[in-house]
Amino acid sequence: MRFLSTYQTGARRCCTMLFQKNAKSIRATLMSTTAAAEESRKIVKEEVFELDGRKYTPDALYNLSPGVRRLLDRRILQESSNPLNLLKRRIVDYVHQTYRKPGNRSPLFTICESEPRVVTTYQNFDSLLTPEDHVSRRPSDTYYVNHEHCLRAHTSAHQHNLMQSGLDAFLVIGDVYRRDEVDRTHYPCFHQIEGVRLYSKDELLGKKPDGKNVAELFSTAASAATERSPEKQEKHTLDATKAAEIQLKQFLENLCDELFGKDAEKRWVDAYFPFTHPSWELEVFYNGQWLEVLGCGIMEQKLLESAGVTDKIGWAFGIGLERIAMVLYGIPDIRLFWSKDTGFLSQFAGKMPGEDVKYKQISAHPQVIFDISFFLPSTVQFNDMTSDVYDTIRTVGGELVEQVKLTDEFENKKKEKKSQTYRIVYRSHERALTKEEVNVIHKQIEQSLASSFGVTLR
Ligand code: DAH
């Protein structure tokens, strides 16, 4: 994890939150192999840099490669067939259903998905109390537009503004950017969900029958406990910290149960982040190993105060979506999230957020695509035909069929004719198929449909 790996061990931070670092030399080998890669490293600085409807003036610090600019244009989190979109909806649906405003009529957490991706260095670093000399500020680690602006390196960059605008409970979801290694689990762009919840004294600590609070949020100068300790910040009472910790851990354990199942083993590990204290990471035992799933903690009171919040305390957490999606859906390589191959996307298209989906490795060979169109026998309904078609294509085409999709359906009422078109994507795991050999199989499918179900080919 970014802050953990740098603050605790002094090692170079790693890119995709929650992933352990890997040799940087991999980047060198991968990037230098092709001329295209060479091209993608050339920095082209324009007069004006425009993103998300805002304009910025690049200066000498500008270091966005054409490669990363291309990534900015593609919003994979919004693509409904992308597994990250599926996972995002699963988390949002769960949080919306579980946490409601008093009266149960509306969700407690506001979802913030369209924050601008260029942020100020104040938002990305200073507001979060990142030390002045921290490695993450280096241009070798962060994408800078100019001295004051960079691409957000984490969704935490929006905490300050959103609290300032008055939100007490929110999730910030989005793509974040870091210059880092290139390997199976690291990519310059990845996706995070940030969660923040603030509590007033009454909300966190409740009231006694006499109307007084059971405890206080803040320690007073008169009390002995005004020092920072491993358990708490100087301004907080131990009671308030503990109460917030219980709320936070319960929230995250329940979310984890929702994603990994109630039986998955979990453990809390002490951690360090500049913007929370105390801080933890949650690990889940999955497929034989402990995985860091998220980082979290009690928000530094200074952060709240700088955002104008003086009478509340809060918790925050950050989750890396790729890591969880790779585990949940069995996706072996982070680059697959950017695949436009329908062999990949079709496995997630149309799925419900709660559904169990396991990714099946797609072939590296090219697809061959053929359509099939026919009129149905007059007595057969559209729906009945579809299952028979899918079965027949599977039976005749076997392992060479990667996808089948009903692409068109219409009924000519006057002529009493019903027609359907299916698109079949053929692809072999072993070799590149030729059009000619696929055509032979395709013809067999057509014949089989005609003889078994009486369709008339068009
Ligand atoms: N921003 C951290 C990162 O990118 C993740 C994180 C950790 C967010 C702890 C939090 C938190 O809100 O409390 O590595």
Side-chain angles (χ1 to χ4, degrees), residues 61-271:
L61 215 52
Y62 181 89
N63 62 355
L64 273 62
S65 62
V68 81
R69 296 206 49 177
R70 276 196 296 276
L71 297 180
L72 285 163
D73 293 338
R74 176 128 182 249
R75 311 299 302 267
I76 57 173
L77 202 55
Q78 317 303 340
E79 292 175 11
S80 62
S81 313
N82 197 289
L84 295 173
N85 178 279
L86 201 61
L87 176 60
K88 173 191 85 176
R89 283 187 283 141
R90 182 154 166 183
I91 294 174
V92 169
D93 287 358
Y94 166 76
V95 171
H96 271 350
Q97 277 159 21
T98 315
Y99 302 93
R100 315 285 295 174
K101 285 193 180 148
N104 198 26
R105 281 183 13 91
S106 55
L108 178 67
F109 283 82
T110 304
I111 309 298
C112 309
E113 285 198 83
S114 37
E115 297 308 304
R117 292 169 292 169
V118 172
V119 293
T120 59
T121 49
Y122 177 79
Q123 290 175 294
N124 203 58
F125 303 118
D126 306 279
S127 76
L128 294 157
L129 314 171
T130 305
E132 210 45 65
D133 56 353
H134 189 249
V135 288
S136 63
R137 292 182 186 253
R138 295 185 309 208
S140 58
D141 288 49
T142 293
Y143 287 105
Y144 281 93
V145 175
N146 56 35
H147 276 80
E148 278 90 47
H149 297 93
C150 60
L151 296 183
R152 64 180 169 203
H154 48 178
T155 43
S156 310
H158 302 293
Q159 283 188 11
H160 179 269
N161 283 60
L162 293 169
M163 286 192 297
Q164 202 169 40
S165 70
L167 294 182
D168 284 341
F170 55 87
L171 300 183
V172 193
I173 311 176
D175 40 349
V176 300
Y177 295 81
R178 294 183 198 173
R179 305 187 71 191
D180 222 312
E181 304 104 77
V182 174
D183 64 19
R184 199 175 63 81
T185 55
H186 293 78
Y187 207 74
C189 169
F190 62 103
H191 298 79
Q192 290 187 328
I193 296 190
E194 189 82 13
V196 168
R197 171 124 199 229
L198 307 182
Y199 298 88
S200 67
K201 184 159 71 170
D202 288 355
E203 280 166 336
L204 187 64
L205 300 167
K207 282 185 176 179
K208 291 190 282 193
D210 64 7
K212 294 205 177 110
N213 292 104
V214 184
E216 293 297 320
L217 289 184
F218 303 109
S219 48
T220 52
S223 71
T226 50
E227 289 193 357
R228 179 169 287 242
S229 69
E231 280 82 37
K232 66 169 209 74
Q233 297 170 34
E234 41 281 76
K235 297 216 166 134
H236 295 163
T237 63
L238 193 57
D239 285 334
T241 304
K242 286 288 169 204
E245 175 182 339
I246 290 168
Q247 296 285 343
L248 167 64
K249 288 187 170 173
Q250 228 168 50
F251 180 100
L252 293 170
E253 284 176 22
N254 291 341
L255 175 62
C256 251
D257 286 351
E258 165 69 16
L259 297 175
F260 296 97
K262 284 213 184 329
D263 295 336
E265 237 186 297
K266 302 179 270 302
R267 68 179 183 197
W268 287 103
V269 180
D270 287 339

